[in-house]
Amino acid sequence: MTLRAFVIGHPIAHSRSPLIHGTWLAAYNIDGSYEPIDVEPTALQAFLARLRGGEFVGGNVTIPLKEPVFALCDSVDPLARTIGAVNTLVATGTQVRGFNTDYMGFLGNLDQQAPGWSDGLDTAIVLGAGGASRAVLVALRERGVKTIHLLNRTLEKAVELATALGPSVRAGSLAAFPGVAPEAGLVVNTTAVGMHGSAFPELPLALLPRTALVTDIVYVPLVTPLLAEARALGLRTVDGLGMLLHQAVPGFEAWFGVRPQVTDDLRRRVEATLGQ
Ligand code: ATR
């Protein structure tokens, strides 16, 4: 019997997930499928009934369903609960369990591209306090980063998130960057700034230690203005495409029983679609 998985969202046409999972299904010779399905928020409950009915082994959930799906799961993994969003569903019998694999994607990407990045890392800067920021903060906290400066254009949102995540996360505005940069071993951009060539107007990366690593979760373009500036200064950089690839690993393993590898070939295939 063909094992069927899906990605649901609205719209869904531009999702790269079918390419990622389709590549793995072929590479591991698995009798499975992974289909993009357009589901509007009002149709989400009915879709979950299909999942409980055994039509699918599970799937991914993307914008704008990551928050609404949370309440509709029969159980939610504790880390997804902390992050406040579900991006992966696994059907077991008539039950649907929700997970968030974005934090594993973030860690998997850095572990592959910058091995040892978290060894002795005491202080990090996270830019942005939206949905994607939560997964990054939870990941850094889990790796034992002692101080995380959460800097956001709107200070109140950073304060709210820092309060929810505990004392290792300290809120500030973007203007606080120069004051905290000299101590920071890592800078993560979780905002949409960088897409379509946009840039942070005032972020003096030159104040970072020479050994600092700069990473962006934006992957269109692959080299964002932030990463380009960091590279020009001789800092280490990791682009955001690997996070997309690595967040797909735990879902594939849960649905199809094989832990897939993020290979250079997979990366090249997905990279080839970025200009489209
Ligand atoms: P997501 O869930 O994908 O993280 P989001 O919840 O809309 O998206 O969050 C967007 C983040 O990008 C926020 O931190 C936002 O800052 P504000 O809280 O001040 O809105 C940040 N952001 C978006 N555009 C920005 C810009 N031009 N300059 C600085 N920060 C920006």
Side-chain angles (χ1 to χ4, degrees):
M1 196 185 72
T2 302
L3 301 172
R4 293 177 66 198
F6 57 79
V7 55
I8 54 170
H10 182 71
I12 200 61
H14 295 290
S15 172
R16 268 96 187 177
S17 293
L19 173 60
I20 298 169
H21 290 282
T23 300
W24 283 334
L25 285 168
Y28 297 104
N29 205 12
I30 291 169
D31 183 10
S33 69
Y34 185 97
E35 307 156 36
I37 304 175
D38 196 307
V39 174
E40 292 189 34
T42 51
L44 186 56
Q45 197 154 7
F47 184 82
L48 259 78
R50 285 172 65 186
L51 185 51
R52 288 192 183 90
E55 204 176 322
F56 302 98
V57 287
N60 287 122
V61 181
T62 187
I63 292 164
L65 307 175
K66 283 185 182 190
E67 282 88 19
V69 80
F70 195 95
L72 299 173
C73 291
D74 298 299
S75 62
V76 173
D77 174 70
L79 271 166
R81 195 170 287 285
T82 308
I83 296 166
V86 160
N87 74 340
T88 301
L89 300 174
V90 178
T92 49
T94 58
Q95 302 276 298
V96 175
R97 186 160 172 79
F99 297 86
N100 187 305
T101 64
D102 285 334
Y103 86 100
M104 290 178 256
F106 174 75
L107 294 175
N109 183 30
L110 291 186
D111 285 343
Q112 188 174 46
Q113 302 292 331
W117 65 276
S118 61
D119 298 347
L121 178 65
D122 281 339
T123 306
I125 296 173
V126 174
L127 304 170
S133 176
R134 290 185 85 103
V136 169
L137 293 168
V138 169
L140 293 178
R141 205 179 56 174
E142 204 184 272
R143 276 297 167 94
V145 180
K146 293 191 190 76
T147 306
I148 306 167
H149 295 286
L150 172 59
L151 309 185
N152 196 46
R153 179 176 62 181
T154 310
L155 178 61
E156 299 80 63
K157 271 172 59 183
V159 171
E160 200 178 305
L161 191 48
T163 306
L165 285 165
S168 58
V169 183
R170 298 186 193 164
S173 63
L174 292 173
F177 186 89
V180 296
E183 303 298 321
L186 174 72
V187 176
V188 186
N189 174 37
T190 74
T191 75
V193 177
M195 280 187 172
H196 319 297
S198 58
F200 289 101
E202 203 66 51
L203 218 55
L205 299 184
L207 296 177
L208 293 165
R210 302 286 82 207
T211 53
L213 176 66
V214 178
T215 185
D216 207 318
I217 70 165
V218 170
Y219 55 86
V220 184
L222 206 49
V223 181
T224 61
L226 182 77
L227 295 182
E229 191 189 337
R231 281 185 192 178
L233 288 165
L235 300 171
R236 288 183 299 158
T237 62
V238 174
D239 67 53
L241 180 58
M243 180 170 169
L244 174 74
L245 305 177
H246 281 275
Q247 65 76 31
V249 170
F252 189 93
E253 184 177 19
W255 310 318
F256 302 117
V258 174
R259 188 165 183 84
Q261 296 295 311
V262 174
T263 60
D264 289 343
D265 172 62
L266 176 68
R267 200 185 144 89
R268 272 193 297 273
R269 281 169 187 253
V270 179
E271 214 177 306
T273 71
L274 294 185
Q276 292 163 24

